[in-house]
Each structure stands twice: as structure tokens, then as C-alpha cells.
């Protein structure tokens, strides 16, 4: 794909040492190409390690890339029990780190990409553009900067660094930034004593409707059984309907279905209450309280205000789990073709658009759907999905298999689909602007999925409303 006259001998730069970035490196090595993986964090899988306490919905059999396993095999590495479900910590420590170790100096941690461009060409210049290598500007952990020349760039940096805000219009709610000390954008690890103390005996608003919100509600309900006064207020932009809690027993991923049922039980048992049709417009500090309670809750509690003027009872904490966005700031000098809504590649967007697709499979795709006007630069993994709420880890592995084949000049293999994805058996439609009454009647989400006859091989984990390992509908 790349011009050989100026790029021969240069590495393919892969941004991000997460599951898909490391898989990309493994596929490139298998094709005889030299990868250079740049990871902003101090270790491989740094983002995965931040949700180490969360268990994936899928088994080890479904989260290990074939090319990576082939690269690991000579070291004596064996895949953990294929039928068991890893946590984020398991995934990072037992698979991602060994894979990074095998890749050795091809992985550079503590290296943040701050810009990508064609050498000597900003995005306006046409002349000689495609003959130039890419130049990747990085900042090292010591603060120093350098430029790295690359024949191609695969951006698998994910979306973890940009969580969505509480505001229903996609912008932070009024007062959200000022209340940063009381707002979290991650599923809390209640096994951590300090985190547990933050929520025990407190009233917490949980904003979001995905599996990560289910996780938080279930965890807070468990805490409430031990710490009286603990209560969750579930903030939903639509109403409660048949598909609010996911597929339940019909979900082809049993662990995900069980999680939805736990969230449902939290509401039914009174450990959580739901505020439906509530689109957050503001977070307001409560005026100073009196006496000992004021000392305990220094700075005041928060009141959530909806766009329609409704105000909820004060809460002590807010957990915002509304998804993630891609960081495109360091790609401003390359020519990307992105969908105006999802910020995903224009050919991929129709396949994953939550405004259209509420359930079913994700069509496997590769270099064709991931191409941009700028040749030899690709977004892969979660970042390729932009703001779409679901992502399959196995789909990401298929993406980078295709990209590596294309970069090696094997266009037949690049175009060939080597992945079959089954039904997930759950409903979606989270991207729709559902009216509460529509959601309550089950008419606003685009219908419902039937459970498949066979078990799925998809890989699922949602964090902050956004699937990390995989997704459903």
C-alpha cells in the first residue's frame, strides 16, 4: 500500500498497547513487517488495568487473538482455561503483558502521541503527499519530544481517555466541571476501602443505561445490604421498558444477562430508584447544611436538574457512565473521512450506527471499511467505532488481521472475511432519542431480538456505557 521509495525499512507505528494494538503488532510480525507500538501509559494494557476489578462477559476462548497466541506459543505460554471469564486484571497480566514482553523493544511505554502528519506536508498540501512517510510526534515520560518516521499508522488508542459527560446534549452539564470532586466517570471498585467509604451510607446518582450502569447499580445494591443509608438513583434519559435491563435470561451472553437481572433486582428491592425521561442539564450545589452533617459533607450535596426543570432530591455522589469519545486532536493534520455523527470511518458508520441498528450482529469488516482519504492511516479497535456504543474485541482482531495483510500487499487476504459473528440476543437502540412514553411501551427502541439457537462467540465488556471487550446490540 505504501510507496516504497521513501518508506522502505520504516516501521508501521501502532498507537496503543491495548488488546487490539498488540494484536495488530502480532499480525504485522507474522507478515514480516516491523511494528512499533507507542503506549502512553507506563505499562501495556494501561487502560484495561484501570478497570481491573470488572469481569468480562466472555471467556478466555474469545479474548485471545490467534496471531498473538501463535507469537506467544514458543515462550511456553498457554491460554488460561478457555471456559472461564477473566477480569480486566487477568486479561492484562496473563495475556497483554506477556504479549508485550514477547514483542520486546517493539513496544515503547510512557510515550504519548501528540501529532501525526505527512513529513513536510500539512493537511492542505497535495504535492508529493503520498510519497512522503508519516511523521509521528511523541512526548516521552521525561517530557522530551521526538519525531518518529513511519510507513503507515494504525491508531488503536481507544476512547478510554474521553468519557462522555452527564449533560444530555453531549456537553458537560452546567456545574459538572465545578463538581468534579463529587463526580466519577468509572465503575467504582468497592473492594477498595477508600472507594467503598466514599459511597457507603451515601446517596449516589448513576447516569447511564448500559451494562456499566448495571454494574454500578448491582455493586451499590450489594453495598447497601451492609451499609444502611446507601442508595442509588438511576438516571435514565428514557423510560423503563421491556428492554431496559438487556436480554436477561434470553441473552446469549449469560453473564451479561445476569448482570441486567441484578440491576433489575436492585430497583425492585428498593436499593435503587429510577428517574426516567430525565435529561441532565445542570448539577447544582446544595446550600451549606447545618451541624455535624455539614462537616461530614463539606462542600454541600448535589441536585440534578433536568432540561424540563425537574429537580431530584440531593445526592452525595454522581457516577456518570454515558460512553466515550475518540480523541482526534492529534490527527488534525491527516485527512480522515469520518461520519458526521459517529466520528467513525464513513464506510464503517452505516454498519454500526445505533440510530439504525438496535440489535443483531456486527458485520465483520477490514481495510475497505477502515480506509480514509489519507492512504495508509487507519483507526482500529474501539477508536474506529467513534461514538457508537458497542464494539467487539474479535471484530477488532479481524480489523487488524485485514490491515496487516493489506500493508503486506496481500490484498486477497485483506478483502477476505475470516470471522463469523453470531446473534447476541439482546436489544439496543441506545443511540435513539427515545421519548419516555415510547420506551415504556416498547416501541421506541427499534424492536427486540430473539435469542439465537446456539451460544455466541462474541466477547463483551462494557465500561462507562461503552463496550470494551465487545458489545451487544
Amino acid at each position: 500500500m505504501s510507496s516504497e521509495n521513501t518508506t522502505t525499512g520504516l516501521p508501521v507505528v501502532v498507537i496503543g498497547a491495548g488488546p487490539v494494538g498488540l494484536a495488530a503488532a502480532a499480525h504485522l510480525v507474522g507478515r514480516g513487517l516491523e511494528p512499533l507500538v507507542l503506549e502512553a501509559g507506563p505499562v501495556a494494557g494501561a487502560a484495561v488495568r484501570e478497570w481491573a476489578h470488572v469481569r468480562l462477559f466472555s471467556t478466555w476462548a474469545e479474548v485471545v487473538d490467534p496471531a498473538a497466541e501463535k507469537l506467544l506459543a514458543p515462550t511456553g505460554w498457554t491460554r488460561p482455561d478457555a471456559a472461564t471469564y477473566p477480569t480486566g486484571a487477568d486479561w492484562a497480566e496473563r495475556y497483554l503483558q506477556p504479549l508485550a514482553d514477547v514483542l520486546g523493544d517493539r513496544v515503547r511505554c510512557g510515550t504519548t502521541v501528540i501529532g501525526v502528519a505527512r513529513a513536510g506536508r500539512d493537511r492542505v498540501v497535495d504535492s508529493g503527499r503520498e510519497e512522503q512517510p508519516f511523521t509521528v510526534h511523541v512526548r516521552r515520560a521525561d517530557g522530551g519530544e521526538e519525531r518518529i518516521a513511519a510507513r503507515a499508522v494504525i491508531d488503536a488508542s481507544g476512547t478510554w481517555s474521553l468519557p462522555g459527560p452527564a449533560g444530555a446534549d453531549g456537553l458537560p452539564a452546567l456545574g459538572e466541571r465545578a463538581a468534579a470532586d463529587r463526580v466519577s466517570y468509572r465503575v467504582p471498585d468497592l473492594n477498595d476501602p477508600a472507594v467503598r467509604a466514599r459511597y457507603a451510607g451515601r446517596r449516589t446518582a448513576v447516569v447511564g443505561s448500559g451494562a456499566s450502569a448495571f454494574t454500578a447499580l448491582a455493586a451499590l445494591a450489594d453495598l447497601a445490604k451492609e451499609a444502611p443509608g446507601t442508595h442509588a438513583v438511576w438516571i435514565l434519559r428514557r423510560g423503563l421498558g421491556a428492554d431496559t435491563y438487556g436480554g436477561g435470561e434470553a441473552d446469549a451472553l449469560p453473564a451479561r444477562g445476569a448482570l441486567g437481572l441484578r440491576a433489575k433486582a436492585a430497583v425492585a428491592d428498593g436499593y435503587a430508584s429510577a428517574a426516567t425521561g430525565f435529561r441532565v442539564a445542570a448539577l447544582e450545589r446544595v446550600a451549606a447544611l447545618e451541624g455535624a452533617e455539614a462537616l461530614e459533607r463539606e462542600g454541600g450535596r448535589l441536585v440534578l436538574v433536568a432540561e424540563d426543570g425537574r429537580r431530584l432530591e440531593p445526592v452525595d455522589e454522581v457516577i456518570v457512565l454515558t460512553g466515550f469519545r475518540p480523541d482526534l486532536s492529534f490527527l488534525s493534520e491527516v485527512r480522515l473521512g469520518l461520519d458526521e455523527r459517529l466520528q467513525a470511518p464513513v464506510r464503517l458508520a452505516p454498519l454500526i450506527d445505533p440510530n439504525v441498528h438496535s440489535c443483531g450482529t456486527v458485520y465483520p469488516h477490514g481495510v475497505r471499511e477502515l480506509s480514509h482519504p489519507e492512504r495508509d492511516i487507519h483507526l482500529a479497535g474501539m477508536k474506529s467505532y467513534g461514538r457508537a456504543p458497542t464494539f467487539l474485541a474479535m471484530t477488532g482482531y479481524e480489523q487488524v488481521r485485514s490491515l496487516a495483510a493489506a500493508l503486506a500487499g496481500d490484498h486477497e487476504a485483506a478483502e477476505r472475511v475470516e470471522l463469523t459473528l453470531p446473534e447476541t440476543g439482546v436489544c439496543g437502540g441506545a443511540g435513539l432519542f427515545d421519548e419516555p412514553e415510547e420506551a415504556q411501551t416498547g416501541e421506541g427502541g427499534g424492536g427486540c431480538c430473539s435469542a439465537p439457537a446456539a451460544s455466541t462467540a462474541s466477547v463483551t465488556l462494557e465500561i462507562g456505557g461503552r463496550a470494551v471487550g465487545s458489545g451487544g446490540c
Side-chain angles (χ1 to χ4, degrees):
M1 293 174 68
S2 295
S3 299
E4 293 296 324
N5 55 349
T6 58
T7 63
T8 301
L10 296 180
V12 177
V13 164
V14 179
I15 306 174
V20 174
L22 292 174
H27 281 279
L28 290 166
V29 169
R31 287 282 181 174
L33 302 177
E34 189 64 20
L36 177 60
V37 183
L38 304 177
E39 167 60 44
V43 291
V48 173
R49 295 171 194 270
E50 291 193 27
W51 46 266
H53 58 292
V54 180
R55 189 170 298 281
L56 279 76
F57 295 141
S58 297
T59 64
W60 274 109
E62 301 156 350
V63 298
V64 175
D65 175 75
E69 188 167 12
K70 183 177 180 180
L71 197 62
L72 283 164
T75 70
W77 183 90
T78 57
R79 185 173 59 193
D81 184 351
T84 61
Y85 296 83
T87 62
D90 294 332
W91 206 14
E93 295 168 6
R94 301 177 67 184
Y95 168 61
L96 299 180
Q97 190 59 56
L99 181 54
D101 292 342
V102 168
L103 290 166
D105 292 341
R106 297 182 177 107
V107 179
R108 289 179 51 182
C109 294
T111 306
T112 302
V113 175
I114 57 177
V116 178
R118 287 284 184 180
R121 309 288 191 275
D122 64 23
R123 67 182 298 157
V124 176
V125 177
D126 292 330
S127 178
R129 186 175 191 85
E130 290 193 353
E131 287 70 40
Q132 298 302 312
F134 288 96
T135 179
V136 181
H137 292 220
V138 302
R139 182 172 56 246
R140 300 186 302 269
D142 63 7
E145 297 183 5
E146 63 179 289
R147 296 176 180 175
I148 298 170
R151 61 167 293 186
V153 176
I154 297 175
D155 182 358
S157 59
T159 57
W160 181 253
S161 63
L162 287 181
D169 55 9
L171 301 173
L174 297 179
E176 184 173 345
R177 294 185 181 91
D181 60 319
R182 298 297 175 89
V183 180
S184 172
Y185 299 88
R186 306 287 189 255
V187 175
D189 180 4
L190 297 183
N191 292 319
D192 183 321
V195 176
R196 192 177 186 85
R198 176 174 178 175
Y199 297 100
R202 302 296 180 91
R203 184 176 169 88
T204 300
V206 178
V207 185
S209 60
S212 47
F214 296 167
T215 303
L217 291 170
L220 290 170
D222 289 343
L223 180 60
K225 297 171 186 177
E226 303 175 8
T230 304
H231 188 79
V233 182
W234 190 14
I235 311 300
L236 290 160
R237 294 173 184 172
R238 56 168 119 178
L240 291 173
D243 64 347
T244 298
Y245 300 99
E249 294 180 356
D251 197 322
L253 295 172
R256 180 175 58 192
L259 181 58
L261 293 177
R262 287 183 64 198
K264 185 176 184 179
V267 175
D269 295 342
Y271 297 117
S273 54
T276 60
F278 196 99
R279 297 186 169 91
V280 180
L283 302 180
E284 295 181 356
R285 293 272 189 180
V286 176
L289 303 175
E290 296 181 357
E293 190 176 11
L295 296 175
E296 180 183 356
R297 292 169 173 161
E298 183 180 354
R301 304 170 83 191
L302 297 172
V303 171
L304 277 68
V305 183
E307 290 180 345
D308 61 9
R310 280 186 292 161
R311 301 170 65 88
L312 298 181
E313 291 295 316
V315 298
D316 300 288
E317 301 285 345
V318 180
I319 301 174
V320 181
L321 304 170
T322 57
F324 294 83
R325 289 96 178 274
D327 180 3
L328 301 170
S329 61
F330 59 85
L331 301 174
S332 61
E333 295 306 317
V334 291
R335 300 173 178 179
L336 300 180
L338 300 176
D339 179 76
E340 67 274 11
R341 292 168 297 172
L342 298 184
Q343 296 178 299
V346 291
R347 291 179 181 174
L348 176 60
L351 308 179
I352 61 174
D353 187 351
N355 291 287
V356 178
H357 302 288
S358 62
C359 54
T361 61
V362 177
Y363 180 77
H365 51 274
V367 65
R368 182 184 298 274
E369 292 82 3
L370 298 175
S371 292
H372 295 277
E374 190 83 67
R375 194 171 70 176
D376 291 347
I377 184 166
H378 302 282
L379 310 184
M382 287 182 62
K383 191 160 186 176
S384 70
Y385 272 48
R387 298 193 182 199
T390 53
F391 168 73
L392 300 168
M394 290 192 301
T395 300
Y397 296 157
E398 172 69 1
Q399 287 179 344
V400 295
R401 181 206 63 79
S402 175
L403 294 177
L407 288 168
D410 188 347
H411 302 293
E412 188 277 329
E415 296 288 344
R416 185 174 62 241
V417 173
E418 296 187 359
L419 174 65
T420 300
L421 295 173
E423 290 272 356
T424 58
V426 290
C427 301
L432 298 174
F433 188 79
D434 295 321
E435 295 298 331
E437 59 270 21
E438 291 178 342
Q440 289 169 344
T441 60
E443 298 173 354
C448 192
C449 308
S450 59
S455 64
T456 113
S458 61
V459 183
T460 307
L461 167 65
E462 259 189 72
I463 297 295
R466 177 63 196 268
V468 171
S470 158
C473 303

